[in-house]
């Protein structure tokens, strides 16, 4: 394997514990070079800036970045970093693993979350002491771009089609535009696409997740519904994600900083290691990515576990076990 460069931005809280675990895995499987960069609450407290220009520039120029978690400064860190890689989709697989106590062990759903707009487009205003507003942005072009990705994604995954989740019966203009663009692209591409209202989806996925394979969502819905699905499979410590752009990618566990356990060395490294497996695949190292997923699955099935999964192992012990099985 060549010496490809990976930017590493641990961020805050347990990001500083699980990202080093994922980096150890990458060092174990390949010959990458790493550049560490700062972002988040801690660097803001020190310098006044949550996302130093140097970090943004590194991420914008790199093929791949591994990111940890952001807390209070999430809007100042994650959103610009996603923009730095021109990421139009956040891929969030929610899978139950054999041996892990899950509410719905049959869950295997991938969320394709629109990653540039919706209510996360940053247009918020305080108009008076009593009134704040938020502008929800939906464009046909971003919705189509996501839908085109979804069509290719389901073909690669050998899935029958996808569901588009929206609330177009209430947000007629914005989600109406999203729904129409996604369904039109699917029809043009000959891909089956069903639609489901996002509130109904929340119920259906809890009752029977096998109804869904790939789910295409606006930004906030994708953020919330993938966390809901994490609850079905055993918790946020298990969900990886990939922010994909046309040329670059940013890979991060779905979880945040987890201040309740930060600093204790007991954060589950699975989500970060699985995110790094997605990074490997993005860089073309498919076999390594698959091996890493298999090793994580093995450890989750009969290896040491962190407390979120009912065990008493620490982050390092679980990471050692993954490396042992590679
Ligand atoms: N590693 C992901 C992370 O830091 N999550 C915290 C968060 O607030 N995320 C919002 C988002 O994913 O848009």
């Amino acid at each position: 394997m060549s010496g490809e460069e990976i930017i590493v931005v641990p961020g805050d809280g347990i990001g500083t514990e699980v990202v080093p675990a994922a980096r150890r895995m990458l060092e174990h499987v390949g010959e990458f070079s790493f550049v560490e960069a700062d972002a988040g609450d801690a660097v803001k407290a020190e310098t006044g800036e949550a996302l130093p220009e140097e970090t943004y520039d590194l991420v914008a120029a790199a093929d791949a970045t591994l990111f940890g978690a952001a807390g209070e400064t999430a809007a100042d860190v994650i959103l610009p970093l996603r923009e730095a890689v021109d990421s139009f989709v956040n891929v969030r697989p929610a899978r139950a693993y054999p041996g892990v106590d899950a509410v719905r062990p049959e869950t295997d759903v991938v969320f394709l979350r629109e990653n540039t707009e919706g209510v996360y487009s940053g247009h918020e205003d305080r108009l008076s002491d009593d009134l704040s507003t938020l502008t929800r942005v939906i464009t046909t072009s971003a919705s189509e771009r996501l839908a085109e990705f979804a069509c290719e994604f389901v073909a690669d995954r050998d899935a029958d089609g996808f569901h588009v989740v929206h609330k177009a019966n209430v947000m007629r203009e914005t989600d109406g535009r999203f729904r129409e663009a996604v369904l039109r692209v699917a029809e043009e591409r000959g891909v089956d696409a069903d639609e489901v209202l996002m509130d109904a989806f929340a119920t259906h996925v809890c009752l029977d997740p096998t109804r869904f394979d790939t789910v295409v969502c606006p930004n906030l819905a994708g953020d919330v519904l993938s966390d809901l699905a994490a609850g079905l499979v055993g918790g946020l410590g298990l969900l990886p994600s990939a922010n994909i752009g046309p040329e670059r990618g940013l890979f991060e566990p779905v979880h945040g900083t987890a201040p309740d356990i930060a600093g204790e060395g007991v954060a589950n490294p699975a989500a970060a290691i699985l995110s790094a497996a997605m990074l490997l695949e993005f860089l073309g190292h498919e076999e390594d990515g698959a091996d890493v997923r298999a090793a994580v699955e093995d450890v989750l099935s009969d290896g040491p576990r962190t407390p979120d999964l009912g065990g008493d192992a620490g982050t390092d012990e679980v990471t050692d076990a993954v490396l042992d099985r590679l």
Side-chain angles (χ1 to χ4, degrees):
M1 198 176 275
S2 65
E4 291 152 300
E5 187 172 271
I6 296 172
I7 311 302
V8 179
V9 187
D12 297 304
I14 62 167
T16 63
E17 298 166 44
V18 297
V19 165
R23 178 175 167 167
R24 279 182 62 204
M25 178 283 283
L26 291 168
E27 283 166 345
H28 187 88
V29 301
E31 284 173 21
F32 300 103
S33 62
F34 298 91
V35 178
E36 291 264 346
D38 289 328
D41 300 350
V43 68
K44 183 170 181 184
E46 251 176 60
T47 68
E49 240 186 336
L51 183 61
E53 203 177 321
E54 189 193 341
T55 301
Y56 181 93
D57 290 346
L58 280 167
V59 172
D63 292 335
T65 297
L66 184 62
F67 176 67
E72 289 304 311
T73 52
D76 305 318
V77 173
I78 306 180
L79 304 187
L81 287 183
R82 290 177 184 152
E83 187 257 336
V85 299
D86 191 17
S87 172
F88 56 92
V89 55
N90 184 208
V91 182
R92 294 185 157 194
R95 246 194 89 193
Y97 292 91
V100 173
D101 198 12
V103 176
R104 288 289 177 204
E106 64 278 32
T107 308
D108 187 2
V109 181
V110 182
F111 292 85
L112 303 181
R113 166 187 175 192
E114 201 290 320
N115 220 14
T116 61
E117 48 188 35
V119 292
Y120 283 7
S121 48
H123 302 295
E124 280 196 299
D125 288 298
R126 176 180 286 256
L127 298 184
S128 75
D129 285 348
D130 185 49
L131 175 66
S132 294
T133 59
L134 162 67
T135 303
R136 184 166 193 262
V137 176
I138 299 285
T139 61
T140 300
S141 49
S143 310
E144 285 176 349
R145 202 178 180 196
L146 175 67
E148 272 156 22
F149 180 90
C151 291
E152 281 169 29
F153 187 87
V154 293
D156 288 349
R157 192 171 152 87
D158 243 347
D160 292 336
F162 62 77
H163 282 82
V164 54
V165 166
H166 60 77
K167 193 68 184 161
N169 59 335
V170 175
M171 294 179 280
R172 294 191 187 110
E173 182 53 46
T174 50
D175 266 14
R177 181 183 288 272
F178 178 78
R179 166 191 178 275
E180 193 186 309
V182 173
L183 290 175
R184 186 182 56 252
V185 169
E187 192 182 348
E188 283 166 7
R189 297 287 202 98
V191 172
D192 278 345
D194 282 335
E195 52 182 316
V196 54
L197 292 174
M198 65 176 77
D199 44 359
F201 173 85
T203 304
H204 293 320
V205 77
C206 291
L207 292 176
D208 181 9
T210 64
R211 288 179 56 174
F212 304 102
D213 180 278
T214 302
V215 178
V216 176
C217 316
N219 203 337
L220 174 64
D223 195 8
V224 174
L225 295 172
S226 55
D227 275 32
L228 180 145
L232 299 180
V233 303
L236 276 166
L238 298 171
L239 258 63
S241 87
N243 299 282
I244 304 291
E247 290 169 29
R248 309 177 202 291
L250 172 77
F251 301 82
E252 53 172 326
V254 164
H255 62 69
T257 54
D260 52 329
I261 56 162
E264 291 176 18
V266 295
N268 188 343
I273 293 175
L274 291 168
S275 302
M278 294 174 92
L279 180 154
L280 285 169
E281 284 163 350
F282 180 79
L283 291 180
H285 308 298
E286 278 92 1
E287 219 170 286
D288 290 315
D291 288 348
V292 171
R293 266 206 305 280
V296 171
E297 192 167 320
D298 252 28
V299 171
L300 289 172
S301 151
D302 63 10
R305 286 164 186 223
T306 43
D308 56 312
L309 299 181
D312 58 7
T315 310
D316 289 343
E317 194 185 337
V318 174
T319 308
D320 290 342
V322 172
L323 300 192
D324 280 350
R325 293 174 199 221
L326 274 170

